[in-house]
Amino acid sequence: MSFALKIGRVYFSPVTVVTALMIVYLSESAFALLIYAFAAIHELGHLTCMKLCKIKTERVDIYPLSVAITPDKTRFLTYRQQAIIAAGGPLTSLFSAVLFLAVGHFFHFTSLPICVFGNLWLFLINMLPIPLLDGGKIFESFIMTRTDFIKGEQICKICAYTACAVSALAGCYIFYITKYNASLLITSIYMAISLYFSPRS
């Protein structure tokens, strides 16, 4: 990452900081801060699973809308280990959503719906079988252990484009209903473009 700031093994650019501040400012609420907090919890799930697999973290790159964790390149990761590490984030988000829902039965607070649905959204969106997401890594690990490499790549690519299309249609519907919320649609288009220009395409 060019012009990256560094804190330990965490790298982030000034653009990331400015983007995060703009999102918080434009949201005019604590919603954006909560989403960033939920994303941090999600990434802790990945890091915890890496520790369980005894894999060291080489670096963590923080981007405006995502985080990339690079494992120790001197270690070979089996498909099983890749699946476990990838599943750590979504499962942590799902557990957080259930935990907030359980706490809400006893202590009601105004941000409860955001806490539940924010974590649930992170779980669902990350389970899509798209290479950029955790679900894509899990799906790839499952397919590659059951077929040859070329056929597995083709299956993963078809499923990824299908997931992008379904996600985009859902985004169009949400935008039509709400008249303003195009976040899922924009995210779907971004994922499709990234998938198209990735080396695998």
Side-chain angles (χ1 to χ4, degrees):
M1 180 187 290
S2 45
F3 304 110
L5 304 174
K6 179 184 177 184
I7 301 178
R9 295 178 181 175
V10 179
Y11 296 78
F12 56 95
S13 70
V15 174
T16 299
V17 177
V18 172
T19 303
L21 291 174
M22 284 180 62
I23 291 173
V24 172
Y25 174 76
L26 293 174
S27 67
E28 298 182 349
S29 68
F31 176 74
L33 288 175
L34 285 173
I35 292 299
Y36 278 114
F38 301 152
I41 294 172
H42 176 99
E43 296 305 325
L44 282 174
H46 289 305
L47 292 172
T48 300
C49 286
M50 288 180 70
K51 285 285 186 182
L52 292 174
C53 292
K54 297 180 180 179
I55 305 295
K56 293 182 179 180
T57 304
E58 186 171 296
R59 62 185 289 163
V60 178
D61 291 298
I62 301 178
Y63 301 102
L65 297 176
S66 64
V67 175
I69 299 175
T70 304
D72 183 4
K73 292 179 180 178
T74 62
R75 287 285 305 275
F76 173 77
L77 296 181
T78 64
Y79 281 122
R80 182 173 179 272
Q81 288 175 320
Q82 290 178 38
I84 291 172
I85 293 170
L91 290 178
T92 300
S93 295
L94 179 61
F95 175 77
S96 298
V98 173
L99 183 62
F100 277 115
L101 191 61
V103 170
H105 279 288
F106 302 98
F107 308 98
H108 182 73
F109 46 97
T110 54
S111 59
L112 176 63
I114 296 176
C115 292
V116 174
F117 290 109
N119 281 288
L120 194 58
W121 181 83
L122 280 175
F123 166 74
L124 293 173
I125 199 72
N126 274 283
M127 286 306 293
L128 291 174
I130 300 173
L132 293 170
L133 304 174
D134 300 320
K137 297 179 180 68
I138 296 169
F139 184 71
E140 180 186 50
S141 298
F142 176 80
I143 292 296
M144 290 305 185
T145 56
R146 287 162 175 79
T147 186
D148 62 89
F149 182 80
I150 296 176
K151 186 177 180 181
E153 285 282 281
Q154 292 174 340
I155 292 172
C156 290
K157 186 185 294 185
I158 291 170
C159 290
Y161 278 117
T162 302
C164 284
V166 172
S167 179
L169 287 173
C172 288
Y173 178 74
I174 292 173
F175 179 68
Y176 174 76
I177 294 298
T178 62
K179 307 300 182 186
Y180 72 91
N181 189 347
S183 57
L184 181 58
L185 177 59
I186 294 171
T187 302
S188 302
I189 294 172
Y190 167 77
M191 289 189 294
I193 293 173
S194 300
L195 181 62
Y196 180 79
F197 286 105
S198 67
R200 291 180 180 180
S201 300

